[in-house]
């Protein structure tokens, strides 16, 4: 017999496509989604589902090639972000057709971060497209949203997997979808000693100044964010545990590999099918 499910959809760039597969499998098994809280790509996919336009979005993104993704980027020569994401959001706004969060048929929350107050912001009313745009603003990559004195960026900075907004949803099961590839059990810290005693001072300086091969500035930024988000996820799960966590491997897709939707949807659906066996 199907259950009433509340979904906490985590952040993770292009890995967010896996959320589509998660939702499809939950529905295929006869469960009812009654509430969604999402951060970044989770806010995007969750919002489109709540508005009834997720299939239209999936039909669009599954056609992307690498060239298509490059053409969709809106480079910014000067400003607090490398791209505006306006071409993508223009299409998304068309799908949403001005719908307000309070008019959605299910409970929905999008999480953003206010850099001024250093607090998370919960969007639970107002234009859905605005909430999504604020939530996906990855710092230094996608330009932030300025709203009512707030500078809003990706909610994953403070709440990468938003379970807390679902506590009053009236669901029988809360399912969290972690796009970071590590469950709460594996997020423990380990201290490692690096032995430098065998190195001369010149060798030590040379190693410190050496640039790692193949590592870009963007890679360092994303790895840094993922490290912080993994730590935050551990604490969030401790305070607000989900009944079931579906974990999408971090290695399954790069943050900007938005041309791999088909693969990620299949991964999400397959992992969800396996995870839902525990609900029987």
């Amino acid at each position: 017999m199907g259950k009433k499910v509340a979904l906490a959809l985590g952040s993770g760039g292009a890995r967010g496509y896996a959320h589509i597969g998660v939702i499809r499998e939950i529905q295929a098994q006869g469960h009812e989604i009654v509430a969604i809280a999402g951060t970044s790509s989770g806010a995007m996919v969750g919002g489109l589902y709540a508005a009834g336009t997720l299939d239209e979005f999936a039909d669009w993104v599954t056609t992307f090639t690498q060239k298509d993704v490059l053409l969709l980027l809106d480079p910014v020569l000067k400003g607090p972000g490398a791209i505006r994401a306006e071409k993508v959001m223009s299409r998304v706004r068309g799908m949403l057709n001005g719908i307000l969060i309070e008019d959605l048929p299910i409970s929905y929350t999008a999480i953003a971060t206010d850099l001024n107050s250093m607090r998370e912001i919960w969007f639970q009313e107002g234009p859905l497209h605005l909430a999504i745009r604020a939530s996906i603003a990855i710092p230094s990559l996608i330009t932030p949203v300025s709203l009512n004195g707030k500078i809003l960026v990706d909610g994953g900075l403070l709440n990468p997997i938003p379970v807390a907004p679902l506590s009053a949803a009236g669901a029988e099961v809360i399912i969290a979808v972690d796009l970071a590839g590590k469950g709460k059990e594996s997020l423990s810290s380990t201290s490692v000693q690096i032995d430098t005693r065998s190195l001369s001072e010149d060798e030590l300086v040379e190693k410190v100044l050496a640039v790692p091969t193949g590592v870009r500035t963007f890679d360092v930024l994303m790895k840094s964010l993922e490290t912080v988000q993994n730590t935050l996820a551990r604490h969030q799960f401790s305070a607000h545990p989900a009944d079931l966590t579906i974990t999408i491997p971090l290695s399954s897709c790069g943050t900007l590999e938005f041309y791999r939707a088909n693969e990620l949807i299949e991964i999400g659906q397959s992992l969800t099918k396996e995870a839902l066996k525990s609900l029987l």
Side-chain angles (χ1 to χ4, degrees), residues 65-75 87:
T65 63
Q66 285 182 269
K67 183 178 179 181
D68 292 328
V69 172
L70 288 173
L71 292 174
L72 282 169
L73 299 180
D74 298 311
K87 291 181 180 178

Side-chain angles (χ1 to χ4, degrees), residues 208-241:
V208 169
L209 296 179
V211 178
T213 303
V215 178
R216 303 166 299 171
T217 300
F218 177 75
D219 296 325
V220 175
L221 173 63
M222 288 299 102
K223 289 296 182 183
S224 299
L225 286 174
E226 288 164 359
T227 300
V228 171
Q229 288 175 351
N230 279 338
T231 302
L232 285 170
R234 177 179 61 192
H235 293 296
Q236 292 284 349
F237 275 131
S238 177
H240 305 283

Side-chain angles (χ1 to χ4, degrees), residues 47 50-51 93 96-110 121-134 147-148 152:
R93 282 197 301 272
L96 298 177
N97 195 30
I99 193 169
L100 302 177
I101 295 173
E102 57 265 37
D103 292 334
L104 294 171
I106 65 173
S107 173
Y108 171 83
T109 304
I121 303 296
W122 292 11
F123 282 91
Q124 295 179 318
E125 59 181 21
L128 177 55
H129 70 84
L130 177 60
I132 291 172
R133 177 61 180 81
L147 180 67
N148 297 333
L152 303 175

Side-chain angles (χ1 to χ4, degrees), residues 11 29 46 48 56 82 84 100 107 127 139 147 159 220 231 255 274:
S11 60
Q29 294 200 23
L48 287 160
E56 181 182 354
R84 294 188 305 153
L100 302 177
S107 173
L147 180 67
N159 196 345
V220 175
T231 302
T255 303
E274 184 65 28

Side-chain angles (χ1 to χ4, degrees), residues 182-252:
K182 296 179 180 179
K184 56 184 177 181
E185 296 82 2
S186 63
L187 288 172
S188 58
S189 299
T190 303
S191 178
V192 178
Q193 183 77 25
I194 299 178
D195 188 3
T196 60
R197 291 172 294 180
S198 62
L199 300 174
S200 68
E201 185 174 344
D202 288 342
E203 289 173 325
L204 199 56
V205 171
E206 183 179 349
K207 287 184 177 294
V208 169
L209 296 179
V211 178
T213 303
V215 178
R216 303 166 299 171
T217 300
F218 177 75
D219 296 325
V220 175
L221 173 63
M222 288 299 102
K223 289 296 182 183
S224 299
L225 286 174
E226 288 164 359
T227 300
V228 171
Q229 288 175 351
N230 279 338
T231 302
L232 285 170
R234 177 179 61 192
H235 293 296
Q236 292 284 349
F237 275 131
S238 177
H240 305 283
D243 298 304
L244 177 68
T245 300
I246 299 168
T247 302
I248 308 300
L250 188 64
S251 60
S252 62

